[in-house]
Amino acid sequence: MTASTPRKRLFIRSWGCQMNVYDSGRMADVLAPLGYGPAEGPEDADMIVLNTCHIREKASEKLFSELGRLRVLKLAKEQAGGRLVLAVAGCVAQAEGAEITARAPYVDLVLGPQSYHRLPEMVARISRASGAVIETDFPVEQKFDFLPDSTTPQGVTAFLTIQEGCDKFCSFCVVPYTRGSEFSRSAAAVVKEARHLVAQGAREIALLGQNVNAWHGEGPEGRPWTLARLLLELAEIPGLARLRYTTSHPRDMDEALIAAHGAIPQLMPFLHLPVQSGSDRILAAMNRGHRADDYRRIAEKLYAVRPDIALSSDFIAGHPGESEADHQATLKLIEDVRFALAYSFKYSPRPGTPAATAVAQVEETVKDRRLQEIQALLRDQQDAFNRACVGRSCAVLITGAGRHAGQFAGRSPWLQPVHGLVSPDLGLTGLTGQMVTAVVTAALPNSLSVRLEGNEALGPPAQTPRQEKAAA
Ligand code: 5AD
Ligand code: SF4
């Protein structure tokens, strides 16, 4: 055994959004100094973390059935004289901590998203404590100040959380209750972490936050910066070829941010901007704070500054009070704006949210039918968008080897997974992380097939506009 071999093995199962995937990486980071390294699977783990997501229904049922399976594993380990630490993290832990320890007393640790920096201390405590350790209060210190710089290699495309929580209180959503109120990391902390990620090989960074465009972190002068300003700064990092940010709220799409889409070449022409409904009545009931036409106007402005921008959205079918006319207004908005990608959900009541107790709940069969209509339209638009890419030339970021021999995998500017054949003279070594030009040869249901073209000068990324100006 070498000195660097981990003494204990950690298995993290992540459900839900990219933020949870990111948080799982950070949990692995804080546990590494305690000797935890990655386990192959639950069976060979000394500690298992279930990182849960509460945003849609059935999250807790899924959790309890998984816990039931893991209980058997834990018992078997204990009977063999070993130990298995079971932890539940994430939003379900935050919202239902007490229920988890009541229904699954064999769980050792329950911790909410604000407590990850305390994991090492909590793990140390459970080695002494007999009962479960619960940590779901919102601590005063911000967890980011306590987390080390990410050491988990994230690859060519990396996530960076810049903002957490939400103060918008949409009628249907649990996030303000589970993730707490809005918090923005400082510009300096974000830029430092971005540089670190790039030094580790990241070429594309997606800035994350539940309400990412409400980010207003402190700038170097002590005053808050806007997201547009932060993007300009990040675009100056040498080697960082692509920037994205998600998830945004239409209310926070200010003029500067829209203009940034036209001014920053690294900012990819793809924006996930959930609208949820196309009806003004339902948007008001949802407490979204904008009308359907406001969204149309934002889309028009984005298309004007960045004509190749593709929009993506979330939709909810059957929010309480939704009439047939409201549903038709949603279909109309989808037709007007046109989406390259979208996620749509049947409204599901989340305990503790205002919409859950509204009297005018929509019947299940009606919700099902409306969801199907929304999805059929969105699927057609997604197919049309992917088909329109065929024959076009675009920049592809190579992320690694493809699924089949001789293939590379990559990503288009519009977030589509891309694959193509590695040319024999280039080989795959050295290709990962390169930005190449490719012609799209076919659109498959969930990916694009491409052919590399005219990449004689594969080399370091182009300079940023500000660097070019400085060199001139
Ligand atoms: N019911 C259905 N969909 C929901 N979402 C959030 N809460 C609910 C709910 N109670 C959807 C929204 C949000 C996405 C992440 O999940 O569309 O944008
Ligand atoms: Fe939830 Fe609305 Fe906040 Fe988005 S903006 S996280 S939907 S409350």
Side-chain angles (χ1 to χ4, degrees):
M1 188 157 106
T2 65
S4 61
T5 307
R7 281 170 284 120
K8 298 186 202 115
R9 281 151 303 181
L10 170 70
F11 182 77
I12 305 187
R13 169 126 202 246
S14 230
W15 283 285
C17 62
Q18 289 160 338
M19 182 86 90
N20 262 18
V21 176
Y22 175 87
D23 279 347
S24 294
R26 304 308 295 271
M27 283 192 263
D29 290 340
V30 291
L31 287 172
L34 294 193
Y36 281 95
E40 300 262 312
E43 292 74 20
D44 76 327
D46 299 293
M47 174 166 177
I48 297 178
V49 180
L50 300 179
N51 192 8
T52 59
C53 171
H54 197 251
I55 200 122
R56 284 184 292 280
E57 65 183 335
K58 300 212 176 88
S60 36
E61 285 101 293
K62 265 196 225 154
L63 169 68
F64 284 113
S65 70
E66 182 77 17
L67 282 175
R69 278 191 292 276
L70 293 179
R71 180 192 191 185
V72 179
L73 195 64
K74 186 175 163 97
L75 279 175
K77 281 224 163 182
E78 280 166 6
Q79 273 159 12
R83 177 138 204 223
L84 173 61
V85 176
L86 268 185
V88 180
C91 295
V92 179
Q94 182 65 46
E96 297 172 32
E99 196 188 340
I100 294 168
T101 45
R103 276 180 65 182
Y106 47 89
V107 168
D108 301 286
L109 248 164
V110 179
L111 70 159
Q114 304 303 319
S115 308
Y116 296 157
H117 61 285
R118 297 198 168 167
L119 245 182
E121 174 204 328
M122 292 160 82
V123 170
R125 259 158 64 195
I126 51 159
S127 60
R128 296 189 290 270
S130 48
V133 172
I134 305 189
E135 190 84 43
T136 51
D137 287 343
F138 290 115
V140 185
E141 323 94 294
Q142 292 302 340
K143 70 173 180 181
F144 294 111
D145 299 340
F146 291 84
L147 291 171
D149 274 347
S150 171
T151 51
T152 310
Q154 294 200 46
V156 171
T157 57
F159 297 124
L160 200 177
T161 294
I162 65 167
Q163 181 277 335
E164 277 213 66
C166 180
D167 297 331
K168 298 230 166 28
F169 291 89
C170 297
S171 60
F172 52 83
C173 184
V174 287
V175 167
Y177 311 96
T178 56
R179 291 267 172 172
S181 66
E182 235 175 72
F183 167 72
S184 296
R185 296 177 75 185
S186 72
V190 173
V191 172
K192 181 169 169 253
E193 188 168 341
R195 285 186 187 280
H196 181 72
L197 289 168
V198 173
Q200 286 188 311
R203 300 294 315 281
E204 172 175 315
I205 293 183
L207 306 178
L208 299 184
Q210 268 95 21
N211 238 283
V212 74
N213 59 340
W215 180 86
H216 57 276
E218 190 189 346
E221 316 82 13
R223 284 191 301 278
W225 269 14
T226 60
L227 181 60
R229 180 69 191 84
L230 179 68
L231 288 165
L232 275 170
E233 193 67 23
L234 293 173
E236 290 302 319
I237 297 179
L240 179 53
R242 289 181 165 184
L243 279 166
R244 305 178 185 277
Y245 61 93
T246 198
T247 291
S248 296
H249 194 296
R251 258 160 71 185
D252 296 311
M253 271 328 282
D254 59 39
E255 295 298 330
L257 188 53
I258 293 173
H261 280 272
I264 304 177
Q266 292 94 328
L267 192 52
M268 287 296 96
F270 179 90
L271 181 65
H272 184 59
L273 189 62
V275 63
Q276 316 293 357
S277 168
S279 149
D280 288 345
R281 240 172 45 82
I282 294 302
L283 286 170
M286 286 177 163
N287 192 30
R288 294 288 290 175
H290 68 87
R291 285 161 306 144
D293 276 350
D294 297 324
Y295 191 90
R296 287 184 175 88
R297 260 192 297 277
I298 294 168
E300 274 162 24
K301 285 184 192 167
L302 285 165
Y303 289 136
V305 296
R306 187 79 208 236
D308 63 341
I309 201 164
L311 292 180
S312 151
S313 188
D314 291 342
F315 293 92
I316 296 180
H319 182 274
E322 187 187 77
S323 68
E324 202 51 36
D326 296 321
H327 169 59
Q328 291 302 325
T330 298
L331 296 176
K332 175 79 170 59
L333 179 104
I334 297 173
E335 268 159 13
D336 290 347
V337 176
R338 299 195 69 79
F339 294 94
L341 186 74
Y343 305 91
S344 41
F345 313 99
K346 190 163 76 160
Y347 169 72
S348 86
R350 311 304 299 129
T353 60
T357 48
V359 274
Q361 299 289 329
V362 176
E363 242 183 77
E364 224 40 40
T365 51
V366 175
K367 285 198 262 186
D368 283 331
R369 196 248 314 148
R370 289 182 187 163
L371 181 66
Q372 279 169 23
E373 288 175 11
I374 289 173
Q375 290 186 335
L377 187 54
L378 290 170
R379 213 171 17 248
D380 283 353
Q381 294 192 348
Q382 183 176 338
D383 289 348
F385 178 78
N386 290 341
R387 277 197 313 275
C389 292
V390 178
R392 278 169 70 175
S393 169
C394 70
V396 168
L397 174 61
I398 311 254
T399 51
R403 232 186 275 162
H404 304 291
Q407 255 192 359
F408 65 81
R411 199 180 261 185
S412 81
W414 304 283
L415 216 53
Q416 296 137 305
V418 156
H419 54 84
L421 288 180
V422 179
S423 65
D425 51 326
L426 277 178
L428 196 61
T429 334
L431 204 55
T432 300
Q434 292 274 10
M435 191 69 78
V436 297
T437 306
V439 174
V440 180
T441 52
L444 310 174
N446 294 308
S447 66
L448 299 177
S449 232
V450 303
R451 189 181 64 235
L452 293 188
E453 204 171 272
N455 289 294
E456 304 80 16
L458 280 178
Q463 290 186 318
T464 68
R466 224 202 278 175
Q467 287 163 345
E468 269 168 22
K469 214 155 70 188

